Amino acid sequence: MVHSVELTLDEAGDAAVRRIWTALQDADLPSQANHTGASNRPHTTLTVAEEISGAADAELVSMLPKLPLPCRLGAPVVFGHGRYTVARLVVPSAELLAVHADVHRICLPHMPSGALHHTEPGQWTAHVTVARRVRAEQVADVLAIAAGAEIDGGFAGLRHWDGNARVDHAISG
């Protein structure tokens, strides 16, 4: 399993993404709404590693004054091959890119194997996932539902997901 550090959305952004999840589910398409775990919520992953020591959490508290951080969800994007992931891109602001770089810098000493390459500064694609394991013949239908007006909201929280224990730890001061 993996560990990650994630930004969670404010109430308005969370609700807007959950409406997409519900519309996909209602259309009998793959949807993040099908994952009913208590920790499943719309988010943007900032960094991922095989392990991130819990000691990073105390240092990540320094990021809290930067929240809330405005965010805009833009066009849909498709990742993968065979079974696809569909997401809404997060329009990158200078502030978001700075938060991403700071979180990477803070977490790196607490990642014995380092960060996964696609989450490093300069390689990262900020997004909020709406559906996973989408078959090729479903992509057009999922995109038709996932597309729409830009969603304005904010990033309101920061959490550390421990995939081994399947627990999220809210970063709070």
Side-chain angles (χ1 to χ4, degrees):
M1 293 303 290
V2 297
H3 286 237
S4 59
V5 176
E6 305 164 348
L7 285 169
T8 56
L9 294 167
D10 64 10
E11 222 174 280
D14 187 277
V17 172
R18 286 180 189 275
R19 283 191 293 276
I20 296 169
W21 289 6
T22 299
L24 289 166
Q25 190 175 45
D26 290 347
D28 199 29
L29 291 165
S31 169
Q32 285 300 101
N34 296 327
H35 301 282
T36 58
S39 64
N40 183 39
R41 64 180 295 184
H43 66 274
T44 294
T45 301
L46 295 170
T47 192
V48 177
E50 286 183 25
E51 181 184 348
I52 302 173
S53 163
D57 296 4
E59 293 182 45
L60 287 167
V61 169
S62 68
M63 300 305 300
L64 294 178
K66 298 180 185 227
L67 302 177
L69 178 67
C71 78
R72 174 172 285 164
L73 302 184
V77 62
V78 179
F79 296 109
H81 49 83
R83 293 285 181 140
Y84 300 93
T85 295
V86 177
R88 290 286 296 263
L89 287 170
V90 176
V91 178
S93 65
E95 295 83 4
L96 176 61
L97 294 174
V99 165
H100 174 255
D102 287 344
V103 166
H104 178 77
R105 177 187 49 76
I106 289 168
C107 290
L108 199 55
H110 303 284
M111 300 171 163
S113 300
L116 296 185
H117 179 69
H118 71 276
T119 65
E120 293 177 355
Q123 302 300 316
W124 177 62
T125 302
H127 64 279
V128 175
T129 299
V130 297
R132 295 180 197 272
R133 297 179 189 87
V134 178
R135 295 187 319 268
E137 63 271 14
Q138 296 172 309
V139 170
D141 292 334
V142 171
L143 286 172
I145 292 171
E150 290 183 341
I151 297 170
D152 288 315
F155 291 116
L158 189 64
R159 71 180 185 178
H160 172 182
W161 167 250
D162 176 345
N164 297 323
R166 305 187 68 75
V167 172
D168 66 337
H169 304 278
I171 307 298
S172 57

